[in-house]
Coordinates of all heavy atoms in Angstrom, one line a residue:
Chain Y
Y20 N 0.6 -4.5 11.0 CA -0.4 -5.1 10.0 C -1.6 -4.2 9.9 O -2.0 -3.9 8.8 CB -0.8 -6.5 10.5 CG -1.9 -7.2 9.7 CD1 -2.0 -7.0 8.3 CD2 -2.8 -8.0 10.3 CE1 -3.0 -7.6 7.6 CE2 -3.8 -8.6 9.6 CZ -3.9 -8.4 8.2 OH -4.9 -9.0 7.5
E21 N -2.2 -3.8 11.0 CA -3.5 -3.1 11.0 C -3.4 -1.7 10.7 O -4.3 -1.1 10.1 CB -4.2 -3.3 12.4 CG -4.5 -4.8 12.6 CD -4.9 -5.0 14.1 OE1 -5.1 -4.0 14.8 OE2 -5.0 -6.2 14.5
A22 N -2.3 -1.0 11.0 CA -2.2 0.4 10.8 C -1.1 0.8 9.8 O -1.0 1.9 9.3 CB -2.0 1.2 12.1
E25 N 4.8 2.6 9.0 CA 5.1 4.0 9.3 C 4.1 4.7 10.2 O 4.5 5.5 11.0 CB 5.2 4.7 7.9 CG 5.6 6.2 8.1 CD 6.3 6.8 6.9 OE1 7.5 6.5 6.8 OE2 5.7 7.5 6.1
A26 N 2.9 4.3 10.0 CA 1.8 5.0 10.8 C 1.8 4.5 12.3 O 1.2 5.2 13.1 CB 0.5 4.7 10.2
F99 N -7.6 -5.3 6.3 CA -6.2 -4.8 6.2 C -5.4 -5.5 5.1 O -4.2 -5.2 5.0 CB -5.5 -5.0 7.5 CG -6.3 -4.6 8.7 CD1 -6.8 -5.5 9.7 CD2 -6.6 -3.2 9.0 CE1 -7.5 -5.1 10.8 CE2 -7.3 -2.8 10.1 CZ -7.7 -3.8 11.0
T105 N 1.0 -6.5 2.1 CA 0.9 -5.1 2.4 C 2.2 -4.6 3.0 O 2.6 -3.4 2.7 CB -0.2 -4.8 3.3 OG1 -0.1 -5.6 4.5 CG2 -1.6 -5.1 2.6
T107 N 5.3 -5.8 2.4 CA 6.3 -5.7 1.3 C 6.1 -4.5 0.5 O 7.0 -3.8 0.1 CB 6.2 -7.0 0.5 OG1 6.3 -8.1 1.3 CG2 7.4 -7.0 -0.5
T108 N 4.8 -4.2 0.2 CA 4.4 -3.1 -0.7 C 4.8 -1.8 0.0 O 5.4 -0.9 -0.6 CB 2.9 -3.1 -0.9 OG1 2.6 -4.3 -1.7 CG2 2.5 -1.9 -1.7
K112 N 7.8 1.1 -1.2 CA 7.6 2.6 -1.4 C 8.5 3.4 -0.5 O 9.0 4.5 -0.8 CB 6.2 2.9 -1.1 CG 5.2 2.5 -2.3 CD 3.8 2.9 -2.0 CE 2.8 2.2 -2.9 NZ 2.7 2.7 -4.2
L113 N 8.8 2.9 0.7 CA 9.6 3.6 1.7 C 11.1 3.4 1.3 O 12.0 4.1 1.9 CB 9.4 3.1 3.1 CG 8.0 3.4 3.7 CD1 7.9 2.8 5.1 CD2 7.7 4.9 3.7
E118 N 13.0 -4.4 3.0 CA 12.1 -4.9 2.0 C 12.4 -6.4 1.6 O 11.5 -7.2 1.6 CB 12.0 -4.0 0.8 CG 11.0 -4.4 -0.2 CD 11.2 -3.9 -1.6 OE1 12.1 -3.1 -1.8 OE2 10.5 -4.4 -2.5
F125 N 7.6 -14.5 1.4 CA 7.0 -15.0 0.2 C 7.8 -16.2 -0.3 O 7.3 -17.2 -0.9 CB 7.0 -14.0 -0.9 CG 5.8 -13.1 -0.9 CD1 5.9 -11.7 -1.0 CD2 4.5 -13.6 -0.7 CE1 4.7 -10.9 -1.0 CE2 3.4 -12.8 -0.7 CZ 3.5 -11.5 -0.8
L150 N 4.1 -19.8 -7.9 CA 4.0 -18.3 -8.0 C 2.5 -18.0 -8.4 O 2.0 -16.9 -8.0 CB 5.0 -17.8 -9.0 CG 6.4 -17.8 -8.5 CD1 7.3 -17.2 -9.6 CD2 6.6 -17.0 -7.2
H151 N 2.0 -18.8 -9.3 CA 0.6 -18.6 -9.7 C -0.4 -18.6 -8.5 O -1.2 -17.7 -8.4 CB 0.2 -19.6 -10.7 CG -1.2 -19.4 -11.3 ND1 -1.5 -18.5 -12.3 CD2 -2.4 -20.0 -11.0 CE1 -2.8 -18.5 -12.5 NE2 -3.4 -19.4 -11.8
A154 N 0.2 -15.4 -6.5 CA -0.3 -14.2 -7.1 C -1.9 -14.2 -7.0 O -2.4 -13.1 -6.7 CB 0.1 -14.2 -8.6
R155 N -2.5 -15.3 -7.3 CA -3.9 -15.4 -7.2 C -4.4 -15.0 -5.8 O -5.3 -14.2 -5.6 CB -4.4 -16.8 -7.6 CG -4.3 -17.1 -9.0 CD -5.4 -16.6 -9.9 NE -6.7 -17.4 -9.7 CZ -7.1 -18.4 -10.4 NH1 -6.3 -18.9 -11.3 NH2 -8.3 -19.0 -10.1
Q157 N -2.8 -13.2 -3.5 CA -2.6 -11.8 -3.3 C -3.6 -10.9 -3.9 O -4.1 -10.0 -3.3 CB -1.2 -11.4 -3.8 CG 0.0 -11.9 -2.9 CD -0.1 -11.4 -1.5 OE1 -0.3 -10.2 -1.3 NE2 -0.1 -12.2 -0.5
G158 N -4.0 -11.3 -5.1 CA -5.0 -10.5 -5.8 C -6.3 -10.6 -5.1 O -7.0 -9.6 -5.0
V161 N -6.1 -8.3 -2.0 CA -6.2 -6.9 -2.4 C -7.6 -6.4 -2.7 O -8.2 -5.5 -2.2 CB -5.3 -6.5 -3.6 CG1 -5.5 -5.1 -4.1 CG2 -3.8 -6.7 -3.2
M162 N -8.3 -7.2 -3.6 CA -9.6 -6.8 -4.0 C -10.7 -7.0 -2.9 O -11.6 -6.2 -2.8 CB -10.0 -7.7 -5.3 CG -9.2 -7.3 -6.5 SD -9.2 -5.6 -6.9 CE -10.9 -5.2 -7.1
A165 N -10.4 -4.0 -0.9 CA -10.9 -2.8 -1.5 C -12.4 -2.8 -1.6 O -13.0 -1.8 -1.4 CB -10.3 -2.7 -2.9
K167 N -14.4 -4.9 0.2 CA -15.1 -5.3 1.5 C -16.2 -6.3 1.2 O -17.3 -6.1 1.7 CB -15.6 -4.1 2.3 CG -14.7 -2.9 2.4 CD -13.5 -3.1 3.3 CE -12.7 -1.9 3.4 NZ -11.3 -2.2 3.8
F171 N -17.4 -12.1 -2.8 CA -16.3 -12.1 -3.9 C -15.2 -12.9 -3.4 O -14.7 -13.8 -4.2 CB -15.8 -10.6 -4.1 CG -14.4 -10.6 -4.7 CD1 -14.2 -10.9 -6.0 CD2 -13.3 -10.4 -3.9 CE1 -12.9 -10.9 -6.5 CE2 -12.0 -10.4 -4.4 CZ -11.8 -10.6 -5.7
E175 N -13.8 -16.3 -5.4 CA -12.5 -16.4 -6.0 C -11.7 -17.5 -5.4 O -10.9 -18.2 -6.1 CB -11.8 -15.1 -5.9 CG -12.1 -14.1 -7.0 CD -11.7 -14.5 -8.4 OE1 -10.6 -15.0 -8.5 OE2 -12.5 -14.4 -9.4
Chain T
Y44 N 2.1 7.8 -5.3 CA 2.3 6.5 -5.8 C 3.7 5.9 -5.5 O 3.8 4.8 -5.0 CB 2.2 6.6 -7.4 CG 2.5 5.3 -8.1 CD1 2.2 4.1 -7.6 CD2 3.1 5.3 -9.4 CE1 2.5 2.9 -8.3 CE2 3.4 4.2 -10.1 CZ 3.1 3.0 -9.5 OH 3.4 1.8 -10.2
E45 N 4.7 6.7 -5.6 CA 6.1 6.2 -5.5 C 6.5 6.1 -4.0 O 7.3 5.2 -3.7 CB 7.0 7.1 -6.3 CG 6.8 7.0 -7.8 CD 7.5 8.1 -8.5 OE1 8.4 8.7 -7.9 OE2 7.2 8.3 -9.7
A46 N 6.1 7.0 -3.2 CA 6.5 7.0 -1.8 C 5.4 6.7 -0.8 O 5.6 6.4 0.4 CB 7.2 8.3 -1.4
E49 N 1.1 8.9 3.1 CA 1.6 9.4 4.4 C 3.0 9.8 4.4 O 3.4 10.7 5.0 CB 1.3 8.3 5.5 CG 1.7 8.9 6.9 CD 1.0 8.1 8.0 OE1 1.1 6.9 7.9 OE2 0.4 8.8 8.8
A50 N 3.8 9.0 3.7 CA 5.3 9.3 3.7 C 5.6 10.5 2.9 O 6.7 11.0 3.0 CB 6.0 8.0 3.1
F123 N 6.8 0.0 -7.5 CA 5.9 0.5 -6.6 C 4.5 -0.2 -6.5 O 3.6 0.3 -5.8 CB 5.7 2.0 -6.9 CG 6.9 2.8 -7.2 CD1 7.2 3.3 -8.4 CD2 7.8 3.0 -6.1 CE1 8.4 4.0 -8.6 CE2 9.0 3.7 -6.3 CZ 9.3 4.2 -7.6
T129 N -2.3 -0.1 -4.3 CA -1.5 0.3 -3.2 C -2.1 1.5 -2.4 O -2.0 1.6 -1.2 CB -0.1 0.6 -3.6 OG1 -0.1 1.6 -4.6 CG2 0.6 -0.6 -4.2
T131 N -5.4 2.3 -2.2 CA -6.5 1.7 -1.5 C -6.1 1.0 -0.2 O -6.7 1.2 0.9 CB -7.4 0.8 -2.4 OG1 -7.6 1.5 -3.6 CG2 -8.7 0.4 -1.7
T132 N -5.1 0.2 -0.4 CA -4.6 -0.6 0.8 C -4.0 0.3 1.9 O -4.3 0.1 3.0 CB -3.4 -1.5 0.3 OG1 -3.9 -2.5 -0.7 CG2 -2.8 -2.3 1.5
K136 N -5.6 0.9 5.9 CA -4.9 0.8 7.1 C -4.9 2.1 7.9 O -5.0 2.1 9.1 CB -3.4 0.4 6.8 CG -3.3 -1.0 6.5 CD -1.8 -1.4 6.3 CE -1.6 -2.7 5.5 NZ -1.8 -3.9 6.4
L137 N -4.9 3.2 7.2 CA -5.0 4.5 7.9 C -6.4 4.9 8.3 O -6.6 5.9 9.0 CB -4.5 5.6 6.9 CG -3.0 5.6 6.5 CD1 -2.7 6.7 5.5 CD2 -2.1 5.7 7.7
E142 N -10.8 6.4 1.5 CA -10.6 5.0 1.0 C -11.7 4.6 0.0 O -11.4 4.1 -1.1 CB -10.6 4.0 2.2 CG -10.3 2.6 1.7 CD -10.8 1.5 2.7 OE1 -11.2 1.9 3.8 OE2 -10.8 0.3 2.3
F149 N -11.5 1.4 -8.9 CA -11.7 0.0 -9.2 C -13.1 -0.2 -9.8 O -13.3 -1.1 -10.7 CB -11.6 -0.9 -7.9 CG -10.2 -1.3 -7.6 CD1 -9.7 -1.2 -6.3 CD2 -9.3 -1.8 -8.6 CE1 -8.4 -1.6 -6.0 CE2 -8.0 -2.2 -8.3 CZ -7.6 -2.1 -7.0
L174 N -14.3 -9.0 -12.1 CA -13.6 -9.0 -10.8 C -12.4 -10.0 -10.8 O -11.4 -9.8 -10.2 CB -14.5 -9.4 -9.6 CG -15.6 -8.3 -9.2 CD1 -16.4 -8.8 -8.1 CD2 -14.8 -7.0 -8.9
H175 N -12.6 -11.1 -11.6 CA -11.6 -12.1 -11.7 C -10.3 -11.5 -12.4 O -9.2 -11.6 -11.9 CB -12.1 -13.3 -12.5 CG -11.0 -14.4 -12.6 ND1 -10.7 -15.3 -11.6 CD2 -10.2 -14.7 -13.7 CE1 -9.8 -16.1 -12.0 NE2 -9.4 -15.8 -13.3
A178 N -8.7 -9.0 -10.0 CA -7.9 -9.7 -8.9 C -6.7 -10.3 -9.5 O -5.6 -10.2 -8.8 CB -8.8 -10.8 -8.3
R179 N -6.7 -11.0 -10.6 CA -5.5 -11.5 -11.2 C -4.5 -10.4 -11.5 O -3.3 -10.6 -11.2 CB -5.9 -12.3 -12.5 CG -6.7 -13.5 -12.4 CD -5.9 -14.7 -12.1 NE -5.1 -15.2 -13.2 CZ -5.4 -16.1 -14.1 NH1 -6.6 -16.7 -14.0 NH2 -4.7 -16.5 -15.1
Q181 N -4.2 -7.5 -10.0 CA -3.6 -7.0 -8.7 C -2.6 -8.0 -8.1 O -1.6 -7.6 -7.6 CB -4.8 -6.8 -7.7 CG -5.6 -5.6 -8.0 CD -4.8 -4.3 -8.0 OE1 -4.1 -4.0 -7.0 NE2 -4.9 -3.5 -9.0
G182 N -2.9 -9.3 -8.2 CA -2.0 -10.3 -7.7 C -0.7 -10.2 -8.4 O 0.4 -10.3 -7.8
V185 N 1.3 -7.2 -7.2 CA 1.9 -7.3 -5.9 C 3.1 -8.2 -5.9 O 4.2 -7.9 -5.4 CB 0.8 -7.9 -4.9 CG1 1.5 -8.3 -3.6 CG2 -0.3 -6.9 -4.6
M186 N 3.0 -9.4 -6.6 CA 4.1 -10.3 -6.6 C 5.2 -9.8 -7.5 O 6.4 -10.0 -7.1 CB 3.6 -11.7 -7.1 CG 2.7 -12.4 -6.2 SD 3.3 -12.5 -4.5 CE 4.8 -13.4 -4.7
A189 N 7.1 -7.5 -5.3 CA 7.8 -8.2 -4.2 C 9.0 -8.9 -4.7 O 10.1 -8.9 -4.1 CB 6.9 -9.2 -3.5
K191 N 10.4 -8.4 -7.8 CA 11.2 -7.7 -8.8 C 11.6 -8.5 -10.0 O 12.8 -8.6 -10.4 CB 12.5 -7.1 -8.2 CG 12.3 -6.5 -6.8 CD 11.6 -5.2 -6.8 CE 11.5 -4.5 -5.5 NZ 10.4 -3.6 -5.4
F195 N 8.5 -13.3 -14.4 CA 7.3 -13.7 -13.7 C 6.1 -12.9 -14.2 O 5.0 -13.5 -14.5 CB 7.4 -13.6 -12.2 CG 6.1 -13.4 -11.5 CD1 5.3 -14.6 -11.2 CD2 5.6 -12.2 -11.1 CE1 4.1 -14.4 -10.6 CE2 4.3 -12.1 -10.5 CZ 3.6 -13.2 -10.3
E199 N 2.8 -14.5 -16.1 CA 1.5 -14.5 -15.6 C 0.5 -13.7 -16.4 O -0.7 -14.0 -16.5 CB 1.5 -13.9 -14.1 CG 1.8 -14.9 -13.1 CD 0.8 -16.0 -12.9 OE1 -0.4 -15.6 -12.9 OE2 1.2 -17.1 -12.8

Side-chain angles (χ1 to χ4, degrees):
Chain Y
Y20 175 35
E21 296 168 11
E25 181 152 284
F99 314 112
T105 55
T107 308
T108 297
K112 284 181 197 282
L113 295 177
E118 185 201 349
F125 274 135
L150 289 180
H151 181 78
R155 290 276 288 267
Q157 286 299 310
V161 170
M162 292 308 300
K167 316 287 183 202
F171 156 80
E175 277 293 315
Chain T
Y44 175 35
E45 296 168 11
E49 183 159 50
F123 314 112
T129 56
T131 308
T132 297
K136 285 181 197 283
L137 295 177
E142 185 201 348
F149 275 135
L174 289 180
H175 181 78
R179 292 275 289 267
Q181 286 299 308
V185 169
M186 293 308 300
K191 316 287 183 202
F195 156 80
E199 278 293 316

